Amino acid sequence: MRNFIITVDGKKYEVGVEEVGETVSSAPQATPIAAAPLSAPAGNGKGTKILSPFPGLIKNLLVANGSQVKKDQPVLVLEAMKMDNDITAPCDGTVNFQVAKGANVESDAVLAVIG
């Protein structure tokens, strides 16, 4: 599999493309999406926002609201096009979710704030 970064409407996406003749697994593989480039400082100065990289369904919250998390730790699962994508913390801190399990979100929606 070869990985590429593509830009669509100014937004960057990481994609994996299988080469012809490569063995294909029967189950889709989740690829962690680094939240750091997809996050922005919160407007009130009280944390860093984790923004949705694309539209999707919040399939699972991997940590409890108010938990301490470490940089690059998966905090939630965002399902898009029947693929599960781990969304990770951009920094160390306390997670404050802005979405609930089962919610549909659009691109750039605030998923959580790390403070």
Side-chain angles (χ1 to χ4, degrees):
M1 179 170 300
R2 295 185 62 193
N3 292 322
F4 296 91
I5 296 176
I6 61 170
T7 303
V8 178
D9 293 330
K11 294 180 182 148
K12 291 186 179 187
Y13 300 92
E14 183 178 341
V15 296
V17 179
E18 294 182 16
E19 295 182 34
V20 176
E22 188 175 341
T23 304
V24 179
S25 70
S26 60
Q29 299 293 319
T31 302
I33 303 295
L38 304 173
S39 63
N44 59 12
K46 295 191 182 218
T48 301
K49 293 179 183 177
I50 300 176
L51 305 178
S52 178
F54 37 74
L57 171 74
I58 304 300
K59 190 166 182 185
N60 200 6
L61 303 178
L62 301 175
V63 297
N65 202 31
S67 295
Q68 291 291 316
V69 295
K70 297 287 186 188
K71 182 178 182 192
D72 298 326
Q73 177 181 345
V75 294
L76 63 89
V77 178
L78 179 64
E79 180 184 300
M81 297 176 58
K82 298 186 181 184
M83 296 265 320
D84 290 351
N85 300 281
D86 288 342
I87 305 298
T88 60
C91 57
D92 293 354
T94 303
V95 66
N96 182 12
F97 288 109
Q98 305 297 305
V99 294
K101 181 178 177 179
N104 286 304
V105 296
E106 295 298 323
S107 292
D108 297 324
V110 178
L111 303 176
V113 177
I114 306 291

